[in-house]
Amino acid sequence: MTNAPLPLIAGNWKMNGLHNESMALVHELAELHMGLGPKPVDVVLCPPFTLLGEIAAYLSATKLLVGAQDCSPLENGAHTGDISAAMLRNTGCACSIVGHSERRRDHGESNGLVKAKATSLLANKLTAIICIGETEEERDGGKTLDVVTEQLAGSLPAGAASSNVVIAYEPVWAIGTGRTPTSDEIAEVHGRIRELLYEQFDYDGYAMRIVYGGSVTPENAGEILRVKNVNGALVGGASLKAETFWPIVTAAPIPASAVAHP
Ligand code: PGA
């Protein structure tokens, strides 16, 4: 008996969002979420650090979740500019993205560092959304499955389980470009990730969510979210406006035997 995961739609605002416009967006999303009724889908907003506390407080009475875009692997101390997982938990975050390709690119983050960040998140009872994905050159060179296999093996923390880890497959060449893999290409990579998770976690590997990210829009969300082993989406550009983010949330199909994650 396999447990079908509850879909997760996460909005990664990246380095966007000043106070007033962001709070207006959050207010609009909270109203839309109330109108969604009991539809079982997890929705996470990942604003910049500067807005986490206020947005988490504002949403605390709702079922909308708040996540960070990154966290330090360290617990505390003399690390100027860094934000720890304990601090994220303290602001009301439920999760954090780690290993986004923009951080791997801009800050030289390795799989080992991503794993250390995820380890710290789990130690602080937060969910780690771990991003992996190939570059265009790697895809053209036929290395996609090798790259995601290596990134997954190197980034997963000890103690990972379906309740505390989400894998985000984000082909680097699809992020912010308007280009997406075909459904078959997405199915191939998600299928491989599922196999690897099953090998490592047995049946819990079926319940671990694998979300797709990279140029998800209201136009393509319905098709992408129905691809086998796609359990949601990590949305960048389209998450910055309610009129483009919400249709992606409502496009998420509900599995027959959805398993709620805490
Ligand atoms: P995009 O970004 O939706 O703007 O392509 C996705 C992401 O980087 O998470």
Side-chain angles (χ1 to χ4, degrees):
M1 171 78 191
T2 59
N3 293 327
L6 192 70
L8 170 81
I9 308 293
N12 173 12
W13 294 9
K14 309 193 180 186
M15 198 170 70
N16 295 294
L18 298 179
H19 180 270
N20 290 359
E21 74 208 21
S22 298
M23 293 314 293
L25 171 60
V26 169
H27 180 78
E28 208 178 339
L29 293 174
E31 299 236 305
L32 286 164
H33 194 253
M34 277 200 300
L36 199 58
K39 180 170 172 157
V41 52
D42 282 339
V43 184
V44 185
L45 308 182
C46 301
F49 285 132
T50 46
L51 293 168
L52 279 177
E54 187 168 350
I55 292 178
Y58 183 81
L59 294 178
S60 60
T62 76
K63 289 209 156 68
L64 278 168
L65 301 169
V66 178
Q69 300 172 15
D70 182 44
C71 81
S72 169
L74 304 164
E75 200 54 33
N76 55 34
H79 306 288
T80 303
D82 286 343
I83 305 284
S84 72
M87 290 169 174
L88 297 181
R89 184 166 171 81
N90 199 228
T91 62
C93 283
C95 58
S96 178
I97 299 167
V98 285
H100 191 283
S101 64
E102 287 153 14
R103 293 210 59 87
R104 292 179 187 259
R105 180 196 68 201
D106 296 349
H107 302 275
E109 294 193 1
S110 63
N111 291 330
L113 179 59
V114 174
K115 178 177 178 171
K117 291 178 175 203
T119 301
S120 190
L121 287 168
L122 268 48
N124 285 280
K125 303 204 177 336
L126 295 174
T127 293
I129 303 176
I130 300 173
C131 301
I132 57 175
E134 82 287 359
T135 62
E136 183 155 31
E137 201 183 348
E138 288 162 344
R139 175 161 283 272
D140 291 346
K143 298 199 185 104
T144 299
L145 297 181
D146 290 343
V147 169
V148 297
T149 300
E150 192 189 326
Q151 288 181 333
L152 188 69
S155 308
L156 271 172
S162 63
S163 57
N164 59 22
V165 164
V166 173
I167 306 300
Y169 168 56
E170 297 207 305
V172 178
W173 53 273
I175 295 176
T177 59
R179 295 163 57 206
T180 53
T182 64
S183 292
D184 286 350
E185 287 168 338
I186 295 174
E188 182 187 28
V189 180
H190 279 239
R192 170 60 64 89
I193 296 169
R194 180 69 70 209
E195 276 168 27
L196 295 165
L197 294 177
Y198 177 64
E199 276 167 24
Q200 191 164 346
F201 302 110
D202 208 352
Y203 283 100
D204 196 42
Y206 284 127
M208 194 176 280
R209 291 183 281 196
I210 311 170
V211 302
Y212 169 81
S215 295
V216 177
T217 63
E219 290 72 36
N220 62 24
E223 182 178 342
I224 290 173
L225 290 167
R226 278 175 177 73
V227 173
K228 190 161 182 223
N229 287 310
V230 171
N231 311 118
L234 180 53
V235 185
S239 71
L240 297 174
K241 288 200 169 106
E243 61 261 38
T244 46
F245 186 55
W246 209 251
I248 298 173
V249 172
T250 57
I254 305 307
S257 59
V259 174
H261 288 258

